[in-house]
Structure formats: structure tokens, C-alpha cells
Amino acid sequence: MTDYEAATAFLGEWGSFQQQVFFLLCLSTVPNGFTGLSIVFLADTPPHWCVVPAHVNLTAAWRNNSIPLEEDNHSGDLLPSKCHRYKLVDIQSFSERGLLPGVDVNLSNVPKEGCLDGWEYDRSVYISTIVSEWDLVCDDRWKNPLTSSLFFFGVLTGSFISGQLSDRYGRKIVLFVTMAVQTVSTFIQVFSPSWPVFCAVFFVVGVGQISNYVAAFVLGTEILGPRVRIVYSTAGVSLFFGMGYMLLPLFAFFIRDWRMLLLGLTLPGFLYAPLWWYVPESPRWLLSQGRVAEAEAIVRNAAKRNKIEPPQVIFSPLQKELQSDRKKTHNICDLLRSRNIRWISITLWLVWNILTIAYFALSLNTANLYGNAYFNCFLSALVEMPAYTLSWLMFRWCSRRLTLFSTLFMGGLFLLLIQLIPANLISLAITLEMMGKFAVTTAFAIVYAYTAELYPTVLRNTAVGACSMASRIGSIIAPYFIYLRSYSISLPYILMGSLTVLSGLLSLLLPESYGMPLPDTITHMQPFPGCCRKTPYTLTQTTEEEKVAERKSPAVL
């Protein structure tokens, strides 16, 4: 057992203090669920066609036939063109001469032109989206996936800076500052006058969104005991994130205007300010910074909350000295400094990257599935709930490495099978996609907790943030996987399935952390198989620091 866990074992696992920390930190992740995926409705593309100005003198027959029919890439049916109309000068001439479309004039011979007067949009589902407000269609349709990618660029930036800030200045302050950044910037986004401004503010939302999630994740991981930590890091934060995701289609169903929808999603964020007085800083982090008195004060307050009498000496003098020695400042470069930690980091970055592509591509694709967009989004969120529960069960009793491999491999296999389903079996194809989403979501919950277990306290927030940062390359390009549907419906599933299977195989290279204590220093980390011959730091072994402490200090840790 590590020094900190031994010293605080008297607190127990599930007292009032731990319950408060568990539920408040889980509650703080709810806004991440609807903020991170709100673009599904904010930027959905409603049916649209070219405007035919009312002042153009056309008969009813010609006005009804002014939009050419084109074959739909998905269904193969003939549908009105989204980006072209017949040349108005020509059809006005035919109309004035009394000619009938398809009878006197062969429409295939009539020249076409673009939507020179703009577009009309079907308002039966949405009052407005950013697509209909700023005409992000046809020649400008590339702006739609770019909107999501810019958000994920913000997530990448937040992952890069928040981990290091959190390891340097504390988990709690970064958590609340970035929650404020996310809430305020989302509120500002409501008043965006143009698409570039919307994207610029969306970038800032992304910075805050990932930063507060990672900070809350690591804070709970470090405060809670081993058993509760497993529940928190797999099912806890993930289930509350899923609750936020499930709320998104409910909000969107009742609020069909994108500005009002954003406003509705913003308001809950302002309710989290009072949590500052109820969520403590991580005592484990305070010890790593040499701030022993503050750490003891939090632990004694926790004992009071749990109605437990703390020992007179919580952290022995020698242990304080050891913790003070760990105060050395670490940064993201330490993730690549030694051979062992370098191979662990690179492998995790690749696994996170591919996993993120699959998760966000499947989440963003719900608007493109057949049927009701709100129901499909709710279904996509609903399948995550049992997935998070399964991740906790597997993480509690199974090998970390084999658990991650099995969920990734099965997720990729389900996605590869979709292309084999006949076009008329739409429900079966959607079922396979949801099963793939289920497996990928389970793996996503597991990889967060697995990563936190592999890295030491002095680098944990930086490491989780760096993995999240590396994975943002995947989230940035995930919208373009969906964009590939315009060329081939099967292509995104083939790419996602193949990459996900590959990431499952890569995960087998990682060291096992099941049954191992949470490492405090880099020397406590498990060795990368085939890379380092260092003896693992296990539950049954004693480090040199602990041997010295046992010889020189009679105090109970």
C-alpha cells in the first residue's frame, strides 16, 4: 500500500466525506455531456433547395418544376436538388411562351445554375440551426465538419494546458476556473453574429469542457479509496456524463431554435458555483507539493465528517520529508524522458486517438441515421448507461489490459459487420451501430481509469491531460469520417472498424495495473513489457522509502 493510502486508511471507504466528494464531482460532469455533443443539433442540416424569387414571372407548372431532380446517394431515389435550379432566364422564357415542362420542353436539356438567390429550408424539424442561418450548404458545406473540428481543437488546447496547470496549481482551482470558462463562453456564443465568431467562441468552450472534466476525474481518483475509486473512475463520472448526453435530445426536442437551445444548455452551469465550498483539494496532491499542513487539515476534516477520531500523527515526520522530496516540478516532457514511461505514453496516445475517432464519429452520426434525429440521439446516449455499468464491473474484477482489448476488438468487429447488412435491413444496421457504440463507450470509460492507474501522482493530471490531448487529433478528424458518407456510406464504418480493432491489439502491449497500488512517483510505475526489466511495484513489495520509514519511525502511517 502506498504511503498516502496507508496513512488515511482510518477514514474508511464510504463515509459522509467520500459520499459528498463522489456525488458532487460526478454532478460537475453533467454539463459536459450536453455541451460536448450539442453540435449534433446546433449544426444539423435540414432539407433545403434553391430559392426561386417570387418576382420571377413563372406559371405554377414551371415554378413547381424549377428545381431539377437528382439521384440521392443514400437511397437511390430521385429527390429535388439541394444545390442547383434550372436557369431562371430560360424557364421564364418557356413560361411566357406557354410551354409545359416535360411535355413541350425536355427538362434534361434545360441548363442549370447554382442557388444564386440563396436557399429555402424545411422548418418542420428545426426553427433554425447554424447551417440554415449562415447557409453552410453546397459549396460551403465543408464549414459544417470544420465547426466541430474547431471545437475539438479547443479540447486539444485545453488538454495540453490544463493538466500541467492542475499539477502545478492544484486540481480544485483548475476545475472551477475551467467550469466558469465553459459556462460563460457558451453564454457568449448565443449572441454570435457570424459563423467565424461562433467558431472562435466554440474553440474556447472546448478548452473549458475538457479541462474541468479531466480535473474532476483526477481529483476524485486521488481523494477516494481504492474500491470507491474504481466505481468513480469508470461508472461514476461516466454515468453522470451520460445523463447530460441523454438530456441533450430532450432539450433540443422542446427548443428548436439553436440560440435558445444554447441558452437553455448554459443556465445549469451557473448553478455549480456553490460547489467551491464543498469540494476539497486533493490531499495527495498537496503532499506531493510539500504542503503537509493543508493536507492534514483536509484529512482531519474528513475524519470529523465521518465521525472518526484521527490519530495524533497522520503523516509521520519521515514521510513528510519523503513527500517534500517529491515536490520537484514535473511537466509534459517527463512523459517521454525515460524509456519505460515513453513507450507507455506513446502506446496510450495511439489507443486514445483511435478510440476517440470511433466514439465521436458514432455520436455525431446520429443525425444521419434513418428515423427521428431526437430519438436516435437519445438511443445513442441510452446505450452508454449500461456500457458504463459494464465498465465498472469489468474494471472491478477483470484484467485491465484484457478488458480494454476485448471491448475495442468487439466494437471494431460490430462496425465492420455493418457493411455486410443489406440496404433494406435498416433496423439491423442501426442495431449493429449501437452495439459498436456500446463497446466503444465501455472502452472509453475503461481507458480513462486505466490511464490514471498507470501514471504516478506527480504526473497523473498531466498524463491524463496529455492522453486526452493526443486523442484530440482523432476527435478533430472524426467529423470528416461522417463527411465521407457523401461518397460511400460503408467507407466510414470500414475505416472506424479497422482502426478500432488495431487499437485493441495495441492495448495488449500495455502493462497490467489490476491489483497494483496507485503509484506516487515515477519509480513506482509498472514496466512496459519487453522494454524495462524493473521489478514491478506491487502490493506485496516494499519500496526502499517504506523500509527506511519502518526502521526509523514507530508511528502508524
Side-chain angles (χ1 to χ4, degrees):
M1 185 177 291
T2 60
D3 297 334
Y4 174 80
E5 289 175 356
T8 58
F10 68 91
L11 289 175
E13 287 272 353
W14 192 237
S16 298
F17 173 76
Q18 289 93 340
Q19 293 172 20
Q20 175 179 301
V21 169
F22 184 99
F23 288 110
L24 292 184
L25 288 179
C26 285
L27 195 62
S28 73
T29 65
V30 172
N32 297 81
F34 48 69
T35 300
L37 295 163
S38 61
I39 196 67
V40 170
F41 297 105
L42 298 177
D44 196 10
T45 303
H48 54 279
W49 52 90
C50 295
V51 168
V52 178
H55 63 79
V56 177
N57 186 21
L58 295 176
T59 63
W62 275 107
R63 187 169 291 278
N64 292 335
N65 289 274
S66 58
I67 307 298
L69 298 178
E70 296 179 351
E71 184 176 344
D72 184 67
N73 291 333
H74 297 193
S75 63
D77 299 331
L78 290 177
L79 300 175
S81 174
K82 298 177 180 179
C83 302
H84 298 93
R85 67 187 182 189
Y86 290 119
K87 200 168 184 179
L88 290 186
V89 174
D90 291 328
I91 63 174
Q92 186 174 10
S93 173
F94 297 144
S95 177
E96 290 173 349
R97 290 157 54 189
L99 302 178
L100 295 176
V103 178
D104 301 314
V105 178
N106 186 349
L107 293 177
S108 62
N109 296 327
V110 180
K112 302 173 185 177
E113 62 185 4
C115 299
L116 304 181
D117 297 292
W119 290 263
E120 290 184 21
Y121 295 90
D122 185 344
R123 309 287 179 178
S124 62
V125 177
Y126 303 104
I127 296 175
S128 70
T129 67
I130 65 170
V131 173
S132 63
E133 179 150 344
W134 294 311
D135 292 330
L136 308 183
V137 294
C138 299
D139 290 342
D140 285 337
R141 67 182 184 275
W142 58 270
K143 294 180 178 179
N144 196 338
L146 181 59
T147 305
S148 299
S149 294
L150 289 172
F151 169 80
F152 291 120
F153 266 114
V155 173
L156 186 152
T157 305
S159 301
F160 178 74
I161 62 175
S162 65
Q164 297 180 78
L165 290 175
S166 183
D167 280 335
R168 177 168 297 187
Y169 298 108
R171 291 31 171 149
K172 178 179 177 179
I173 189 169
V174 171
L175 168 64
F176 283 93
V177 168
T178 53
M179 284 176 66
V181 168
Q182 176 182 332
T183 301
V184 173
S185 56
T186 305
F187 180 74
I188 295 173
Q189 204 176 12
V190 174
F191 306 98
S192 302
S194 63
W195 177 75
V197 174
F198 179 92
C199 290
V201 182
F202 208 24
F203 173 88
V204 181
V205 174
V207 173
Q209 195 260 359
I210 190 62
S211 300
N212 65 61
Y213 184 86
V214 172
F217 178 85
V218 174
L219 180 57
T221 299
E222 293 184 348
I223 291 179
L224 299 171
R227 292 184 180 179
V228 180
R229 180 191 307 139
I230 292 175
V231 182
Y232 173 81
S233 59
T234 52
V237 290
S238 300
L239 283 171
F240 278 76
F241 176 90
M243 287 172 57
Y245 188 8
M246 291 176 66
L247 288 173
L248 172 62
L250 297 179
F251 271 89
F253 180 79
F254 292 104
I255 308 176
R256 304 296 181 97
D257 177 80
W258 75 267
R259 293 183 188 272
M260 297 307 298
L261 174 59
L262 264 184
L263 183 61
L265 297 178
T266 300
L267 295 179
F270 291 101
L271 303 177
Y272 286 89
L275 297 187
W276 173 269
W277 288 274
Y278 298 96
V279 175
E281 181 57 271
S282 166
R284 190 188 290 265
W285 175 82
L286 291 170
L287 283 175
S288 72
Q289 301 298 301
R291 296 161 61 177
V292 182
E294 295 175 60
E296 284 194 351
I298 292 174
V299 173
R300 292 187 184 280
N301 180 63
K304 182 179 179 181
R305 288 291 312 277
N306 290 351
K307 299 180 180 179
I308 295 173
E309 185 67 28
Q312 291 185 348
V313 179
I314 297 178
F315 302 112
S316 68
L318 180 58
Q319 186 180 18
K320 295 178 183 180
E321 181 180 345
L322 291 173
Q323 295 290 359
S324 182
D325 290 340
R326 296 171 185 168
K327 190 179 176 181
K328 175 186 173 183
T329 301
H330 295 273
N331 55 51
I332 198 169
C333 295
D334 290 301
L335 300 178
L336 297 171
R337 200 173 301 280
S338 67
R339 189 181 180 192
N340 184 58
I341 196 172
R342 178 166 60 247
W343 280 109
I344 291 176
S345 298
I346 291 173
T347 304
L348 279 171
W349 293 346
L350 289 172
V351 171
W352 275 67
N353 205 345
I354 296 171
L355 181 55
T356 305
I357 290 175
Y359 177 81
F360 282 104
L362 291 173
S363 297
L364 296 174
N365 190 47
T366 53
N368 296 315
L369 298 178
Y370 289 94
N372 185 278
Y374 302 101
F375 176 77
N376 289 334
C377 183
F378 182 81
L379 182 62
S380 180
L382 185 63
V383 298
E384 294 194 5
M385 308 305 276
Y388 294 137
T389 304
L390 178 63
S391 70
W392 164 62
L393 294 174
M394 297 178 76
F395 209 78
R396 177 69 178 84
W397 285 291
C398 302
S399 161
R400 310 297 195 241
R401 183 167 49 188
L402 294 180
T403 296
L404 184 59
F405 163 74
S406 61
T407 51
L408 286 171
F409 187 84
M410 291 304 297
L413 188 61
F414 287 133
L415 296 180
L416 288 173
L417 289 175
I418 292 176
Q419 62 176 319
L420 304 178
I421 304 302
N424 60 321
L425 298 178
I426 296 172
S427 59
L428 180 57
I430 294 178
T431 300
L432 281 176
E433 181 163 345
M434 291 303 165
M435 291 174 69
K437 175 72 182 300
F438 174 87
V440 167
T441 301
T442 305
F444 217 149
I446 289 170
V447 79
Y448 259 99
Y450 188 16
T451 301
E453 284 191 347
L454 289 176
Y455 286 101
T457 301
V458 293
L459 270 175
R460 187 167 296 115
N461 213 126
T462 295
V464 175
C467 287
S468 179
M469 179 186 69
S471 72
R472 296 314 144 189
I473 299 173
S475 60
I476 288 168
I477 66 176
Y480 290 94
F481 272 71
I482 307 305
Y483 189 69
L484 291 174
R485 287 175 57 93
S486 59
Y487 301 99
S488 170
I489 296 179
S490 299
L491 185 57
Y493 298 112
I494 295 172
L495 291 176
M496 285 189 292
S498 301
L499 288 173
T500 305
V501 169
L502 174 62
S503 68
L505 297 174
L506 281 174
S507 67
L508 292 174
L509 298 176
L510 293 168
E512 182 57 68
S513 64
Y514 179 67
M516 305 296 180
L518 207 61
D520 283 324
T521 65
I522 294 176
T523 57
H524 291 167
M525 291 183 65
Q526 301 301 316
F528 188 83
C531 168
C532 182
R533 296 182 180 179
K534 184 187 79 171
T535 303
Y537 176 71
T538 66
L539 283 168
T540 58
Q541 292 174 320
T542 306
T543 66
E544 290 302 316
E545 291 173 351
E546 290 169 334
K547 290 177 181 178
V548 172
E550 288 176 358
R551 289 197 300 266
K552 294 187 177 182
S553 176
V556 178
L557 296 180

